[in-house]
Amino acid sequence: MVGPRPAEAAARRAVRSVVRDLVPGSLVLVACSGGADSLALAAATAFVASRDGLRAGAVVVDHGLQHGSAEVATVAAAQCRALGLDPVVVRRVEVTGAGGLEAAARHARYAVLDDVAHRTGAAAVLLGHTLDDQAESVLLGLARGSGARSLAGMAAVRGAYRRPLLGLRRTDTEDVCTANGLTWWTDPTNGVPAAVPSPGRPADPRGSTTPGAAPAASTLEEAPAAPLPLRSQVRARVLPVLEDVLGPGVAVTLARTADLLREDADLLDELAGRLLDEARVADPADVGPRPGVAPVVLDTEVLRSAPAALRRRALRRAAAEAGSPAGSLFASHVATLDAMITDWRGQGPAHLPGDLRALRTRGRLFLRPARTPSPERTVPAETPAEPAQE
């Protein structure tokens, strides 16, 4: 009897490692896009669940951003059902919101996953991010100067979300799909040569040059002229150059860097959370917000006396809590907030991603949406503004 391919065995071991804590009968959902990574995850999860007494289902989110996306979702759902997954839920979403298209799509996707997990009582939701995704995240974190948390990449487990495939490469997931007779879709915005012929190699007329891959949503004639998303450019251009200059294994090394930093970052985040709780001010007389708006108000003296590493982490978390998209908060934004604590000279409101404003007055740092009445309008006339520190 022929055993599973090495990639299949590795995927199954990886899934088993993140669901071993679940009680028999628990439902595990796989977030499936129809790509090789998520379909390989679906196949491995179906195998493990059937042998470990778990139930396995899938959620397919159609973002509606490309021509033919509904068909891609239908095919992905059909393949999940053929693997034995049940239930298989398909949802189409409307991608809108601040922070850019990628951030809005991610927000819509996780909203669906949260909702379906809640409605079905799922114990865990599995995501198909691979080692290559992790390496790209580390590079993007370096480029943004976002600190150790970004360099720590994606966590294997965070709440109900679990990422079993962070130790596998994309070539492994394609191998798993091939072994299971699965046809995967190649997203033309991912940066792979799906609709653009590579030198010396004719393009597949269906829009895919990957054997076993399904037709991409766009054909050659329909290939978008818009630039690739930043992550896709890292995947298609930056990583290949690094591999060429530094030698093979760059992606593996970057992923290892993320693993080494994660424990440190987790501890620092926990301590920063305690600092944020200590600095938080809940005084309606000081805030005066518009109904329905909950600004974050912090005691500047508590923050100023804290170690810089914890203070900056606390400020980043506070900005995200107030409504600034975490993925759009760069080191420069945090540095601006930090200067309002440690180098206060009466500077005006700071503008943050998500149309957020940061304003210091009366020993307090206010973080709130721009549309909210600013705290200086709520200050009685006899109360002077906080003086700048010399």
Side-chain angles (χ1 to χ4, degrees):
M1 180 178 179
V2 179
R5 297 186 184 188
E8 274 189 290
R12 292 169 182 175
R13 287 195 302 270
V15 169
R16 184 167 277 124
S17 71
V18 300
V19 299
R20 62 164 55 107
D21 63 314
L22 303 182
V23 299
S26 296
L27 174 63
V28 178
L29 294 175
V30 176
C32 186
S33 66
D37 299 342
S38 59
L39 280 174
L41 178 59
T45 303
F47 179 90
V48 170
S50 66
R51 286 156 178 78
D52 291 9
L54 301 173
R55 295 181 295 131
V59 183
V60 181
V61 180
D62 174 13
H63 298 89
L65 296 177
Q66 298 183 47
H67 174 72
S69 64
E71 181 183 355
V72 170
T74 299
V75 172
Q79 294 193 94
C80 287
R81 294 188 183 100
L83 288 168
L85 301 186
D86 181 48
V88 176
V89 179
V90 180
R91 292 271 188 92
R92 185 180 177 93
V93 296
E94 204 172 307
V95 177
T96 58
L101 189 63
E102 284 185 86
R106 183 169 55 251
H107 178 78
R109 180 167 61 252
Y110 278 98
V112 169
L113 295 175
D114 287 342
D115 180 65
V116 175
H118 175 73
R119 290 174 181 271
T120 60
V125 179
L126 305 189
L127 306 174
H129 298 109
T130 65
L131 184 147
D132 297 272
D133 294 306
Q134 189 75 295
E136 293 158 11
S137 295
V138 174
L139 281 176
L140 286 169
L142 280 169
R144 290 167 175 160
S146 301
R149 170 48 65 195
S150 288
L151 299 185
M154 298 174 285
V157 177
R158 188 173 294 280
Y161 289 100
R162 308 181 182 197
R163 297 179 173 90
L165 305 185
L166 287 178
L168 276 68
R169 304 297 303 269
R170 286 202 180 94
T171 51
D172 295 324
T173 62
E174 292 178 359
D175 197 19
V176 172
C177 288
T178 301
N180 285 272
L182 299 172
T183 303
W184 67 90
W185 173 65
T186 301
D187 185 345
T189 68
N190 276 348
V192 296
V196 180
S198 56
R201 182 180 186 184
D204 188 310
R206 300 172 304 171
S208 172
T209 58
T210 308
S218 301
T219 64
L220 276 172
E221 291 75 21
E222 297 169 330
L228 293 173
L230 184 58
R231 177 177 288 272
S232 297
Q233 294 187 53
V234 169
R235 177 179 309 159
R237 301 172 186 173
V238 178
L239 270 173
V241 170
L242 289 177
E243 295 271 357
D244 182 53
V245 174
L246 302 178
V250 170
V252 174
T253 302
L254 288 169
R256 187 184 305 123
T257 298
D259 291 337
L260 293 172
L261 284 171
R262 191 168 301 112
E263 288 185 359
D264 294 347
D266 287 344
L267 175 59
L268 287 170
D269 281 349
E270 180 182 346
L271 296 175
R274 296 177 188 175
L275 172 62
L276 182 58
D277 289 340
E278 184 183 352
R280 196 184 304 274
V281 175
D283 185 351
D286 271 350
V287 178
R290 188 174 68 182
V293 177
V296 175
V297 187
L298 304 174
D299 186 319
T300 58
E301 186 56 34
V302 171
L303 291 171
R304 190 180 67 83
S305 61
L310 296 184
R311 181 177 61 249
R312 290 168 187 153
R313 272 178 165 75
L315 288 170
R316 173 182 290 278
R317 181 178 294 193
E321 182 181 316
S324 191
S328 301
L329 277 170
F330 297 163
S332 58
H333 300 127
V334 178
T336 298
L337 292 176
D338 197 47
M340 298 181 78
I341 303 296
T342 62
D343 189 26
W344 175 244
R345 298 182 181 279
Q347 52 266 52
H351 294 227
L352 300 174
D355 201 24
L356 202 70
R357 298 292 183 271
L359 176 72
R360 174 169 171 165
T361 184
R362 293 169 290 144
R364 302 286 187 262
L365 182 68
F366 293 79
L367 298 169
R368 59 179 11 141
R371 64 181 181 276
T372 307
S374 58
E376 66 265 34
R377 294 181 183 175
T378 67
V379 180
E382 64 272 20
T383 303
E386 179 182 7
Q389 296 174 349
E390 295 299 331

